[in-house]
Amino acid sequence: MKRITKLAGSAVFFSLTMLAMPASAAKLGVTMSAFDDNFLTVLRNNMKTYAGTQKGVDIQFEDAQNDVGRQLSQVQNFIAQKVDAIIVNVVDTDATPKITKLAQSAGIPLVYVNRMPADKTLPAKVAFVGSNEAESGTVQMKEVCRLMKGKGNIVVMMGDLANQAARQRTKDVEEVIAKAPCNGIKIVEKQTAKWSRTDGRDLMMNWLSAGLQFDAVVSNNDEMALGAIQALKSAKRLDKTIVAGVDATQDALTAMKNGELKVTVFQNAAGQGKGAVDTALKLSRGEKLPSMIWVPFELVTPANLKNYQSRN
């Protein structure tokens, strides 16, 4: 009888111990393509802040420094640490099938954030949280078209072409100007500036030195647009040129407030960060979720600027 009492007591103790454990206790491993990118810094900070509000959640960040091999190694290290879920902001979207296979083989849930994976389909316990790039360049170019009244010349600054977002945003621009009312607009030059403000400035200086004539700069992101603005200001060409970006970073919104940037597209870093952590936690608990979780893009212009100044 005493033995039964002891066992019952042990069972009660075990149950109470389990009840005392936080339901969302988890260790998350996050590999970011780069720490020195403005938008990705906002995204990373929001993931960290939101994870900090979840009881028992430990989140570890690694910087891939735009190196595919380094990122693969970081994923393998997370697997060796037996984290509960892995979040990846991928360096090269073409590398995602390999990353997916690694996580699947280890039985660890995987969440891609911000940059859409190249996988044809995502298996169970793998999801993408981000914005639909088919919207970003489309929203951006339609507003540029409106400002240009449907005619004129543009240059396009492309991001890193290893990245799906750069390819899709450029395609969006091309599709908008292929049909009325924007088919009076022509792309006179397009080149990559690798998402960088410095490269954007240098590329614009080269175009200006070559005597290229254009009415608008359509950039795949705000950083390259800000570099273009620097070069255009130096050449005293900014007043006659429409400059458009994507992301609605704080620096971009300041440039818009100053009358330098005419168009950007809000990409909700806070929404993506929270969504990635939430999705990772839910998958780690065995919950079933859609493979694609969308956070909408939103057009930002001087007319609605005030609504976005504190959102990223």
Side-chain angles (χ1 to χ4, degrees):
M1 190 71 183
K2 287 182 180 179
R3 179 173 173 78
I4 293 172
T5 305
K6 283 183 180 179
L7 285 171
S10 298
V12 170
F13 174 76
F14 176 76
S15 298
L16 290 174
T17 302
M18 292 300 289
L19 287 171
M21 291 176 65
S24 60
K27 181 168 184 177
L28 307 180
V30 183
T31 167
M32 301 293 295
S33 60
F35 277 11
D36 62 356
D37 177 280
N38 279 3
F39 179 82
L40 296 181
T41 297
V42 177
L43 176 65
R44 173 166 48 93
N45 288 342
N46 275 284
M47 277 194 274
K48 183 178 180 180
T49 299
Y50 180 70
T53 68
Q54 305 302 296
K55 190 174 181 181
V57 174
D58 178 26
I59 190 163
Q60 176 185 340
F61 291 93
E62 297 293 343
D63 181 4
Q65 299 176 24
N66 283 316
D67 184 317
V68 176
R70 185 187 295 267
Q71 187 160 68
L72 286 169
S73 178
Q74 289 167 352
V75 170
Q76 289 168 329
N77 288 340
F78 287 144
I79 290 169
Q81 292 172 34
K82 296 183 179 179
V83 298
D84 295 289
I86 298 170
I87 299 173
V88 177
N89 169 250
V90 70
V91 171
D92 183 344
T93 49
D94 288 338
T96 58
K98 187 169 185 177
I99 294 172
T100 300
K101 188 175 180 181
L102 286 170
Q104 279 278 288
S105 297
I108 295 176
L110 173 65
V111 179
Y112 291 106
V113 63
N114 181 252
R115 296 178 177 176
M116 188 183 293
D119 307 59
K120 290 181 180 177
T121 57
L122 294 178
K125 294 187 179 181
V126 181
F128 167 70
V129 177
S131 301
N132 188 348
E133 294 298 350
E135 297 174 2
S136 56
T138 301
V139 168
Q140 176 197 44
M141 190 59 224
K142 282 184 175 179
E143 178 62 11
V144 172
C145 171
R146 187 187 71 80
L147 294 173
M148 295 177 68
K149 296 182 172 57
K151 59 184 180 182
N153 293 335
I154 65 172
V155 290
V156 178
M157 287 190 168
M158 299 183 291
D160 187 341
L161 295 179
N163 190 292
Q164 181 268 348
R167 300 192 296 267
Q168 183 62 54
R169 290 177 188 179
T170 303
K171 182 182 177 185
D172 295 342
V173 171
E174 292 168 343
E175 288 180 347
V176 169
I177 66 172
K179 54 196 174 200
C182 304
N183 54 351
I185 296 173
K186 179 184 176 184
I187 296 174
V188 293
E189 187 63 86
K190 62 177 182 179
Q191 288 185 42
T192 180
K194 301 178 182 177
W195 304 120
S196 162
R197 190 180 304 196
T198 300
D199 287 356
R201 182 196 63 208
D202 293 347
L203 177 56
M204 179 52 64
M205 288 173 66
N206 289 341
W207 281 340
L208 293 171
S209 297
L212 203 61
Q213 297 299 311
F214 50 88
D215 306 293
V217 180
V218 182
S219 171
N220 284 172
N221 79 339
D222 286 337
E223 282 297 292
M224 295 184 294
L226 292 169
I229 286 170
Q230 290 175 350
L232 288 164
K233 282 171 74 174
S234 296
K236 295 182 170 50
R237 285 273 304 271
L238 184 58
D239 289 346
K240 297 178 181 179
T241 309
I242 297 164
V243 182
V246 174
D247 286 337
T249 63
Q250 283 301 311
D251 285 354
L253 296 180
T254 298
M256 183 172 282
K257 186 178 179 181
N258 293 338
E260 298 167 344
L261 186 73
K262 302 301 183 188
V263 180
T264 188
V265 183
F266 177 68
Q267 185 172 192
N268 192 337
Q272 290 185 13
K274 178 180 182 297
V277 172
D278 263 343
T279 301
L281 292 175
K282 287 176 181 177
L283 289 175
S284 73
R285 294 194 292 262
E287 296 183 34
K288 291 185 178 180
L289 297 172
S291 60
M292 297 287 177
I293 298 164
W294 299 113
V295 181
F297 281 106
E298 301 169 40
L299 177 66
V300 183
T301 68
N304 66 358
L305 170 63
K306 65 180 185 298
N307 299 332
Y308 293 91
Q309 285 177 303
S310 62
R311 291 186 63 187
N312 258 351

